[in-house]
Amino acid sequence: MESTSGLAKGDPIHTLGKIIEASERSVPRRREDPEPAITLEIDPKPSKDSKFAIDLFIETNINYGTDGGLYAELIANRAFQEPETNSTDPSLGKGTLKYWSPTSSGTKLNLTKSNPLSNALPQSVTISGDGERCGIKNTGWFGIPIDDQEYQLSFQVRSASGGGKSDQEITFGLYSSDMATTFAEGSDKVTLTSEWQEKRYTLNPRGKAGNADNVFALQVPCQGSDVQVNLVSLFPPTWEGTVARRDLAQALADIKPELVRLPGGNDLEGNSIAARFQWRNSVGPLKDRPGRLGTWAGWNTEGLGLMELFDIVEKMGASPILSIYAGYSLDRQAVPEDELQPYVQDALDQLHFLLDESGEWAELRASFGRKEPYSFLKLVEIGNEDWINNAPDTWPYRYPAFRDAIAKEFPQLGQIASSPYNFTGQPAIDQHDYNTPDYFFTQFDRMDSWPRNGTKIYGLEYAVINGGNQESGDIYGGPDRLKHSTMNGALGEAVFTMGMERNGDLCYGAAYAPIFMNEAPGAQQWSPDLLTFDNLNLVKSASYHIHQVNPSSKPETSRVFHSVGTDSQGWYVIKLANVADHASKVVLEFGGGGEGGPKFSSSQATLWQISADGREVANTLSNPDVISPTTSNLPPSSFSQDGSQLTLDLPSLSFSIIRVPTI
Ligand code: AHR
């Protein structure tokens, strides 16, 4: 399948020469030309094979991007695990009724630790009270969208008294938040015992709600009922049989990433060692997943756990980069050297669980529904940002412990080190860049002179996060922090990734970060993001469009940056970012000239282009497509008669990809 840029997934971009020095020479000016045309001379000899690929980073927890976002679960705090806002206590059983409330004034809801569903989910709720119907309702994460489609409901229920109850009537449904409108409702008479049992139903609303101000509710007769409830779950149809929200997952799949890094980021490390990501707690039946306090948005259910994430990556046709906790957390505590071994073993167990073909780990995985090993896992990353704070102090013992143990048992796995910059000798490193557009423009040639010493470079977190229009040393907290990705920022990112792509012998991949931002009030901790959404809508940012098309000179003069390569058909792929506030005319011609050299063929040449009227223009919920790509065929008039030159008028603030065959 072709992407909108015309590049098919897997198309290797063979970096073609450098463009032989982006020479700027004047060509005769037409009166209307605002600036002298820039001539870019293309070296037709391929200089190196590029390994550069566009990757993704599915970062858990941040901005309610996974729970409340990619994870399609509609019930928030489904197992009464979420602590009060601002709680830093990661222990279980401290949950609340957050997102839940009684359906009537007579209803009494009681959070109890008696007769827990499981060790992992120690709290549940009993429903009693006065009146006709008593019940509990859930607002979802910032609302529940309702459409004419099937919703899969499940919950766990037992007799609260333990004495048993036959014909317990339970009514469940989807309603407007004031319960005045019923969109879908069902009921059942259930025989309850002291044992927990899982009930499953389908809800099929007839029609669509106009907004997401809706609830799910479960109700019983107030008199004579005897119910204790936990783990209430409601899923709309999901993406490709996974647990993912359809529009969000499809937008990720459309990027056609080669590699997808997961699960964090800071959320891998946790706010403390105890709150780190623990893979064992993210696999198996949901009732055995205790969840944990995430580093950004609050509680992680871990419903979008290790296997679910791998399943999504697999369906995208990509490979995961599995980030391995490396004994360091955000409270600056490192696991002491003499206590590190169990953590190393835990990482090895995780890999056995994912990769073994037989034996106890393979059997466990099969019992969780996956017989075949996840053999598309080829790459692990050890740690996250081990250059920060005091992490470098302990990195010298932490990193080799994981590196060597993994290399010994899993020699087939590639490794990326999240290492401090001053260490050398790692097979691959992951550099992160968050900065201003101007910074990114200056990074275009960062990799040109980078030592080719065998260490591969990944840039698995990059983004323009600050407009840079105001003097401040603090790009994170200072003024001009961006809320949304702007055209100027996206151009900076295009230039940056073109710089990596032009050095595709060294730079293996780049991923924008973070991916998701839930736009609901109070849901954000980090901006800007690749995709923003609410319950009903998804906005693809300017950065998304740039990242999706897999971008490619020097800022100081022309403000036109370029990269040139070929695709698998041998067509030239020419990327041009005009980051100037004025239109620019560019003349592309082949170097080496003379007879017998390549010539542009005007037939079938295409242009993919994105531009905006101003640097600060951004796609938002209220104006989602102000920056959106156009595709067109290049007119024959763009080509000189002998095919030696291709002339383009680049609008101000634009990024263009030309695909052109040669003869
Ligand atoms: O992407 C946001 C955060 O930036 C990541 O969690 C962390 O790795 C980096 O500092």
Side-chain angles (χ1 to χ4, degrees):
M1 244 238 306
E2 296 251 307
S3 74
T4 45
S5 64
L7 286 177
K9 175 170 166 57
D11 267 1
I13 301 286
H14 300 291
T15 307
L16 273 182
K18 349 174 213 176
I19 272 186
I20 301 184
E21 217 18 60
S23 60
E24 288 194 45
R25 18 177 239 249
S26 293
V27 297
R29 284 179 80 176
R30 293 197 307 254
R31 254 187 340 153
E32 66 273 22
D33 287 348
E35 290 286 317
I38 300 160
T39 300
L40 302 178
E41 206 175 84
I42 301 170
D43 180 355
K45 291 190 299 299
S47 62
K48 52 202 172 198
D49 264 354
S50 173
K51 300 286 193 307
F52 181 77
I54 284 298
D55 300 331
L56 283 179
F57 173 31
I58 299 185
E59 180 172 3
T60 48
N61 197 258
I62 200 162
N63 295 330
Y64 289 88
T66 45
D67 278 324
L70 185 63
Y71 188 40
E73 173 64 84
L74 291 171
I75 306 296
N77 193 19
R78 66 185 176 194
F80 313 105
Q81 298 156 283
E82 285 217 20
E84 293 298 345
T85 318
N86 299 328
S87 166
T88 53
D89 183 353
S91 53
L92 298 184
K94 297 280 172 65
T96 62
L97 285 170
K98 191 173 169 190
Y99 302 108
W100 293 97
S101 59
T103 52
S104 66
S105 55
T107 297
K108 290 198 188 89
L109 302 177
N110 178 36
L111 259 189
T112 174
K113 293 198 186 66
S114 305
N115 303 296
L117 172 63
S118 62
N119 291 335
L121 303 179
Q123 292 208 124
S124 51
V125 75
T126 60
I127 304 168
S128 58
D130 298 321
E132 197 182 329
R133 281 215 242 176
C134 290
I136 188 164
K137 62 180 178 181
N138 188 282
T139 58
W141 275 283
F142 321 106
I144 297 184
I146 296 176
D147 213 337
D148 182 4
Q149 59 189 3
E150 287 192 349
Y151 291 76
Q152 304 306 324
L153 167 68
S154 65
F155 53 85
Q156 296 273 352
V157 61
R158 71 182 287 277
S159 148
S161 68
K165 170 133 181 73
S166 52
D167 285 345
Q168 169 68 58
E169 187 183 311
I170 304 179
T171 304
F172 38 81
L174 288 164
Y175 312 88
S176 56
S177 61
D178 57 5
M179 304 279 293
T181 307
T182 301
F183 295 103
E185 193 172 78
S187 77
D188 197 7
K189 294 216 166 147
V190 183
T191 298
L192 300 180
T193 68
S194 59
E195 298 297 314
W196 286 96
Q197 55 181 299
E198 185 185 50
K199 305 301 296 178
R200 291 183 167 270
Y201 305 95
T202 299
L203 285 171
N204 196 346
R206 264 164 260 103
K208 191 181 170 103
N211 58 44
D213 187 17
N214 308 306
V215 294
F216 165 81
L218 187 151
Q219 298 172 89
V220 296
C222 297
Q223 305 305 316
S225 288
D226 184 21
V227 291
Q228 186 173 353
V229 176
N230 202 353
L231 195 48
V232 185
S233 171
L234 184 73
F235 274 83
T238 54
W239 184 74
E240 299 280 342
T242 67
V243 296
R245 179 172 147 173
R246 278 177 160 176
D247 55 347
L248 301 192
Q250 189 58 51
L252 296 188
D254 288 344
I255 290 176
K256 300 184 173 60
E258 186 161 311
L259 298 167
V260 182
R261 177 178 170 225
L262 52 90
N266 290 150
D267 201 46
L268 171 79
E269 300 166 275
N271 285 331
S272 63
I273 295 173
R276 72 193 182 280
F277 171 74
Q278 299 194 48
W279 73 271
R280 288 167 209 268
N281 292 339
S282 80
V283 296
L286 294 183
K287 73 179 179 57
D288 296 329
R289 301 190 197 187
R292 80 193 157 96
L293 199 57
T295 54
W296 296 98
W299 198 261
N300 278 309
T301 62
E302 312 283 30
L304 187 64
L306 187 61
M307 292 176 72
E308 287 85 2
L309 284 165
F310 268 55
D311 290 343
I312 292 168
V313 174
E314 188 172 40
K315 281 269 157 53
M316 284 180 191
S319 284
I321 301 176
L322 178 64
S323 288
I324 303 271
Y325 177 73
Y328 183 83
S329 291
L330 296 175
D331 59 358
R332 305 186 179 194
Q333 297 297 309
V335 176
E337 189 167 6
D338 59 357
E339 294 172 23
L340 196 60
Q341 186 47 35
Y343 295 82
V344 175
Q345 189 56 50
D346 192 55
L348 295 173
D349 291 349
Q350 180 180 16
L351 295 170
H352 282 295
F353 173 79
L354 292 166
L355 295 171
D356 282 4
E357 289 183 5
S358 59
E360 72 172 294
W361 291 113
E363 281 163 25
L364 182 65
R365 187 185 63 236
S367 75
F368 296 160
R370 170 87 184 200
K371 191 161 182 313
E372 321 79 62
Y374 288 102
S375 28
F376 63 116
L377 171 65
K378 302 270 178 349
L379 206 47
V380 296
E381 177 162 355
I382 297 173
N384 180 59
E385 295 190 338
D386 262 316
W387 55 84
I388 274 181
N389 298 325
N390 60 344
D393 299 348
T394 51
W395 190 79
Y397 70 77
R398 292 185 290 107
Y399 171 64
F402 287 91
R403 175 195 63 199
D404 296 345
I406 293 171
K408 188 160 170 233
E409 291 199 26
F410 300 94
Q412 76 275 27
L413 290 179
Q415 293 192 13
I416 304 175
S418 175
S419 50
Y421 286 155
N422 57 344
F423 284 86
T424 53
Q426 304 89 326
I429 58 172
D430 175 14
Q431 300 184 344
H432 295 176
D433 286 84
Y434 293 108
N435 222 303
T436 62
D438 283 348
Y439 166 86
F440 275 83
F441 295 143
T442 62
Q443 299 304 300
F444 178 67
D445 44 17
R446 168 159 115 199
M447 294 299 161
D448 295 359
S449 53
W450 199 271
R452 266 62 177 173
N453 58 12
T455 301
K456 301 167 186 164
I457 310 284
Y458 287 86
L460 297 173
E461 289 185 37
Y462 77 85
V464 168
I465 61 166
N466 189 296
N469 297 322
Q470 299 172 41
E471 280 302 311
S472 162
D474 181 5
I475 54 157
Y476 292 92
D480 221 12
R481 177 82 189 246
L482 296 176
K483 173 94 197 290
H484 295 107
S485 136
T486 60
M487 189 67 205
N488 202 31
L491 287 173
E493 291 152 8
V495 168
F496 174 72
T497 48
M498 279 194 287
M500 293 188 82
E501 182 181 282
R502 282 162 40 112
N503 289 280
D505 60 320
L506 173 71
C507 303
Y508 276 56
Y512 182 101
I515 288 182
F516 292 124
M517 180 163 78
N518 192 321
E519 289 270 17
Q524 307 83 37
Q525 301 85 44
W526 184 291
S527 65
D529 302 271
L530 204 61
L531 295 166
T532 57
F533 60 90
D534 62 12
N535 270 306
L536 305 163
N537 308 290
L538 166 69
V539 179
K540 295 174 176 173
S541 65
S543 297
Y544 175 90
H545 294 301
I546 296 279
H547 193 71
Q548 185 188 7
V549 294
N550 187 345
S552 306
S553 212
K554 290 199 181 340
E556 60 277 12
T557 52
S558 69
R559 309 281 286 174
V560 173
F561 298 81
H562 55 264
S563 89
V564 179
T566 54
D567 65 13
S568 55
Q569 286 177 273
W571 287 30
Y572 278 72
V573 180
I574 301 157
K575 300 175 178 176
L576 297 163
N578 181 17
V579 308
D581 287 310
H582 55 76
S584 301
K585 181 179 290 297
V586 171
V587 179
L588 293 151
E589 62 180 30
F590 284 106
E595 291 300 305
K599 303 278 183 229
F600 294 115
S601 161
S602 62
S603 68
Q604 295 176 281
T606 57
L607 170 67
W608 179 100
Q609 196 167 69
I610 193 169
S611 64
D613 285 346
R615 292 189 182 273
E616 310 313 324
V617 175
N619 288 347
T620 60
L621 278 173
S622 54
N623 212 348
D625 293 318
V626 64
I627 305 173
S628 59
T630 58
T631 48
S632 58
N633 292 324
L634 277 180
S637 57
S638 306
F639 297 87
S640 62
Q641 214 150 27
D642 64 357
S644 65
Q645 288 187 333
L646 166 55
T647 304
L648 295 152
D649 292 305
L650 303 178
S652 61
L653 304 175
S654 65
F655 181 62
S656 310
I657 303 180
I658 297 104
R659 291 187 75 237
V660 55
T662 53
I663 44 176

